[in-house]
Amino acid sequence: PPTDPVDDEVIVPTFVTPLQLNAIDQRRLIVAGLNAVYESTTRGSTFVGIPFPALDADPTQTGIQREFRGVGSRQNAIAYGGRRDGEVNPNVLYVGSEDELLVRLGMGDPLVLTRSPFPGSTIVDVVLDADDWATAFVIDKHRIYVTPDAGSSWLDITGNLAAVGAGQLRSLEFVRTDDA
């Protein structure tokens, strides 16, 4: 069962503490500390720890199930809030923790590892398709991956982009264009 390890604890900041405003509701904010991921629905007045899987819940899984590594200790990979089929979902949340991607689809749900493991190395950034939160683009330093189904499957779409920026990818932005 999910646990909430941090409701009464203070956010333990990192050197650069990742923050992410919600794409749907600007009153909502995610803060990733060394000890947990926190959510505010009150413009930062109060924060609540987001449940994540219990330690050793599934011995076939790695990372956060065995030890919460501190999401903020490695990168700023957070995507929060999205749309799908014309409906808004301010509760959807993607968080990169080293080489693993965790997803929460609804309020009160725990963060869970994607159904299919992220195929890359340490996650640098994650962004969602503006019209379909189940489609996420995730990068490590050298590759770009897309999941059309919230992490059930992955496709490497890097192509020749690894040659840009001396082979080091640092950030990602989703921009929809009209094919006129």
Side-chain angles (χ1 to χ4, degrees), residues 22-103:
N22 192 289
I24 302 300
D25 182 350
Q26 298 296 298
R27 295 171 296 181
R28 298 176 69 158
L29 172 71
I30 293 293
V31 176
L34 282 175
N35 57 332
V37 177
Y38 293 86
E39 179 173 37
S40 175
T41 58
T42 60
R43 295 188 172 133
S45 295
T46 59
F47 285 90
V48 174
I50 298 176
F52 55 86
L55 301 180
D56 296 317
D58 180 351
T60 65
Q61 300 284 314
T62 59
I64 206 159
Q65 273 85 355
R66 290 202 312 261
E67 174 185 355
F68 189 74
R69 299 188 236 180
V71 174
S73 65
R74 302 281 181 196
Q75 66 278 324
N76 296 323
I78 303 170
Y80 183 37
R83 291 178 177 76
R84 186 168 198 208
D85 298 327
E87 299 289 323
V88 297
N89 183 353
N91 301 308
V92 69
L93 173 64
Y94 287 71
V95 178
S97 179
E98 293 191 9
D99 62 349
E100 296 171 328
L101 189 66
L102 295 99
V103 178

Side-chain angles (χ1 to χ4, degrees), residues 140-144 156-170:
D140 61 21
K141 287 184 178 180
H142 306 288
R143 318 262 339 133
I144 303 170
D156 182 336
I157 60 169
T158 307
N160 65 357
L161 289 175
V164 176
Q168 291 247 349
L169 300 172
R170 292 183 177 88

